[in-house]
Amino acid sequence: MALEPAFALVIGFVVLHQQPDVLALAGVGLVVLAGVGAERTGQRAAAVPPVVT
């Protein structure tokens, strides 16, 4: 999902002939980096089994 902004930027450039500015490129780069960082370091807590009384 982190690559969706990059695909949108490329499609806008190729299909719509839009010129991305530096701020748009930096924003896409930061979103992609955040997605990569979340994927590499994000861990879920181990599931705790319910206590039966």
Side-chain angles (χ1 to χ4, degrees), residues 8-50:
L9 188 110
V10 170
I11 289 171
F13 181 73
V14 172
V15 176
L16 301 175
H17 305 289
Q18 295 176 340
Q19 295 293 335
D21 59 352
V22 175
L23 190 59
L25 292 172
V28 169
L30 289 173
V31 168
V32 171
L33 283 175
V36 169
E39 182 66 29
R40 291 183 56 110
T41 62
Q43 296 179 359
R44 294 185 181 203
V48 178

